[in-house]
Amino acid sequence: MHRMIAAMRILTGLQPSGKLHIGNYFGAMEPAIRLQSQGEAFYFIANYHAMTSLQNGAELRQNTRELAIDFLACGLDPEKAVFFRQSDVPEVNELAWILSTVCPMGLLERCHSYKDKVAKGISANHALFAYPVLMAADILLYDANVVPVGKDQKQHLEVTRDLAVKINEALGGEILTIPEPMIREESAIVPGIDGQKMSKSYHNTIPMFGEEKALRKTIMKIVSDSTPVEEPKPVENSTILALYPPAEHAVMIESFRAGGFGYGHYKTQLWEAYWAYFAPMRARREEILREPGYVDEILRRGAEKARAAAAPVLDRVRRATGLSE
Ligand code: ADP
Ligand code: TRP
């Protein structure tokens, strides 16, 4: 059996696990938004996955909604990308089950997300163990061929490809599309205010849509050294510099090298740069918040399109497995 997939089908998921920070924006959202016109984009909110670490209904609902609003505010265009909630296509769980029948235990036992928790003495639940299988189902259910993700997800993409090959071998045919990962480079890692990778687990984040005063306060806390005001500032390993939006890097490096300004000055400038950078998105966000039902309607239409794309794939799998005639 041969199927033709005409366009590039780009798919990625984001977990609704807390307030978005600028590391998430530059690391995941902005690249996804740039890719949305390069092919058929499928972007979803991975709320089933978030349940492996969050079991509070009100919080999950709130995070899901905020992620939807923020993604739209940042430029996700629902006319270009199919934007949906993972749980609005519950068929993904059926595919996950089918994939798990060809998934060796060892493959999952080797996965970092699971191993790290066990190593820390945290008792892992089955969902955490099976997390990569559900992620594989997310990708394979939509015949995605390009999956943009951060480096931390590389192993999960390998599991996905393995499982697709195993299903095709077991069921005899080109049932599932083997996806290609599109791994973002390490250099794109945004540092947090303490200089480590920005992450909500390290409590070092700069939120994208914080209050003006709070944002300023956070930025003023960024680590710096004790180089006197008048002297040139080191540009290597400077957290402040690394946090400047890419378009302003060259000018800032020049200014650091020239000396004459203290770090307080650069932090104030950085705060102003961010405030200006996110201004259009903040305005769009306010607009979205004023439009009742807008987000629900987008997610409803997204779910409809996603289900329509999933139906023929699941149909192929169900027939091949003997689950249906
Ligand atoms: P966190 O580390 O805050 O928990 P997540 O692991 O939920 O963030 O990351 C969601 C997405 O954002 C992933 O695709 C990840 O690659 C990206 N991301 C998170 N933090 C950064 C960062 N500091 N720099 C670049 N990308 C990041
Ligand atoms: N595991 C991914 C993360 O934490 C989120 C995710 C779930 C995903 N399903 C996916 C990403 C499918 C890409 C494709 O970032």
Side-chain angles (χ1 to χ4, degrees):
M1 181 170 39
H2 283 279
R3 285 172 294 103
M4 290 291 293
I5 298 171
M8 181 158 86
R9 185 165 284 182
I10 309 153
L11 174 140
T12 198
L14 268 178
Q15 285 196 54
S17 46
K19 284 226 177 313
L20 285 175
H21 53 73
I22 59 173
N24 299 140
Y25 176 75
F26 289 108
M29 287 167 95
E30 199 261 343
I33 289 164
R34 248 187 295 125
L35 273 175
Q36 69 188 349
S37 13
Q38 312 276 305
E40 297 175 326
F42 280 66
Y43 296 155
F44 68 94
I45 305 174
N47 54 354
Y48 284 135
H49 278 111
M51 287 178 76
T52 57
S53 56
L54 174 63
Q55 288 107 17
N56 176 315
E59 228 178 287
L60 183 63
R61 191 173 297 115
Q62 168 84 7
N63 286 353
T64 303
R65 194 162 187 83
E66 279 185 13
L67 179 53
I69 293 169
D70 291 354
F71 217 151
L72 289 164
C74 287
L76 184 146
D77 180 350
E79 298 301 320
K80 290 192 182 132
V82 176
F83 185 40
F84 62 106
R85 256 187 312 239
Q86 186 183 26
S87 61
D88 282 340
V89 192
E91 291 90 326
V92 73
N93 291 298
E94 183 174 357
L95 184 59
W97 177 258
I98 294 166
L99 294 176
S100 73
T101 64
V102 297
C103 182
M105 294 292 281
L107 196 60
L108 298 181
E109 277 159 0
R110 281 194 294 277
C111 283
H112 305 304
S113 45
Y114 169 73
K115 275 205 310 201
D116 293 352
K117 294 255 157 124
V118 175
K120 279 187 198 145
I122 299 167
S123 67
N125 55 33
H126 174 253
L128 190 74
F129 186 65
Y131 182 115
V133 180
L134 180 61
M135 180 158 162
D138 286 328
I139 297 167
L140 301 172
L141 185 60
Y142 302 101
D143 269 339
N145 43 22
V146 179
V147 185
V149 283
K151 247 189 173 160
D152 56 326
Q153 300 297 316
K154 191 168 177 241
Q155 194 181 30
H156 292 155
L157 261 297
E158 283 158 14
V159 171
T160 304
R161 288 168 59 90
D162 259 20
L163 295 181
V165 168
K166 282 186 196 302
I167 283 282
N168 288 348
E169 277 172 6
L171 304 180
E174 242 184 81
I175 314 276
L176 295 173
T177 302
I178 317 286
E180 292 296 330
M182 188 188 256
I183 309 284
R184 290 185 294 269
E185 284 311 310
E186 202 70 69
S187 61
I189 292 228
V190 178
I193 58 169
D194 59 357
Q196 296 187 77
K197 174 190 179 227
M198 185 177 294
S199 167
K200 56 185 171 303
S201 357
Y202 302 149
H203 306 289
N204 63 355
T205 64
I206 302 176
M208 273 177 67
F209 292 118
E211 291 286 318
E212 192 169 348
K213 262 196 185 150
L215 181 68
R216 186 177 188 132
K217 219 171 133 188
T218 306
I219 287 185
M220 287 304 175
K221 281 193 230 155
I222 296 172
V223 286
S224 48
D225 57 38
S226 52
T227 312
V229 172
E230 60 284 358
E231 278 183 29
K233 309 286 174 297
V235 295
E236 295 295 319
N237 301 320
S238 162
T239 303
I240 300 180
L241 209 48
L243 278 165
Y244 267 94
E248 301 184 37
H249 268 175
V251 176
M252 294 319 297
I253 288 180
E254 229 172 272
S255 170
F256 263 52
R257 290 200 169 125
F261 293 106
Y263 284 118
H265 166 82
Y266 288 122
K267 290 182 193 177
T268 306
Q269 274 207 340
L270 181 60
W271 169 71
E272 282 167 359
Y274 271 124
W275 197 250
Y277 187 91
F278 287 111
M281 301 167 214
R282 252 192 329 271
R284 179 73 190 118
R285 192 167 179 273
E286 290 306 314
E287 236 174 71
I288 293 172
L289 290 172
R290 277 196 300 270
E291 252 181 276
Y294 174 77
V295 174
D296 297 297
E297 179 55 19
I298 299 228
L299 292 176
R300 194 194 58 72
R301 273 195 280 148
E304 218 170 71
K305 289 187 203 158
R307 290 189 96 164
V313 181
L314 199 57
D315 188 52
R316 280 199 310 265
V317 177
R318 290 187 119 252
R319 280 172 201 271
T321 48
L323 287 169
S324 66
E325 289 306 317

